[in-house]
Amino acid sequence: MTAGADGNKELEAVIAKYMYRDPGGSLGWVCNVCGKNSKMKKNIEFHIEANHIESAGVTCPICFKVLKTRESLRQHTKKHTNQALHAAM
């Protein structure tokens, strides 16, 4: 599956097409592609973006490293924040 998503809203819409809420409620949120499930919607969104959607990736605005998902970018940029804090001390 390919996402030509330049913006988060478009990517969110693509992700939403590949998941559903378990009608019985016992599974929580379910990936349409592979059946992975989680009680937490965000976990399935991360899973779908990382495993079932092809994209050019997202670029770190600080070091320009290209990462696969928005979540990996979020975690990566924390490293820059921590480095800046330690350098200031």
Side-chain angles (χ1 to χ4, degrees):
M1 289 161 238
T2 303
D6 292 331
N8 285 340
K9 287 183 181 182
E10 186 178 338
L11 182 55
E12 291 295 330
V14 171
I15 291 170
K17 290 180 183 180
Y18 296 103
M19 61 188 285
Y20 65 93
R21 181 133 177 105
D22 174 39
S26 62
L27 297 177
W29 292 91
V30 182
C31 172
N32 288 338
V33 179
C34 68
K36 179 177 175 70
N37 62 73
S38 175
K39 299 279 183 201
M40 295 180 63
K41 181 180 180 181
K42 209 51 150 165
N43 289 344
I44 295 300
E45 291 173 340
F46 293 155
H47 161 78
I48 292 168
E49 185 177 356
N51 297 288
H52 302 304
I53 295 177
E54 294 178 25
S55 75
V58 288
T59 303
C60 174
I62 299 167
C63 71
F64 306 106
K65 179 177 182 175
V66 177
L67 299 119
K68 185 171 180 177
T69 67
R70 295 171 297 164
E71 176 62 13
S72 60
L73 174 63
R74 186 186 69 77
Q75 292 176 9
H76 169 80
T77 53
K78 282 183 178 180
K79 294 176 185 176
H80 291 299
T81 305
N82 288 338
Q83 287 174 355
L85 288 173
H86 292 297
M89 294 181 170

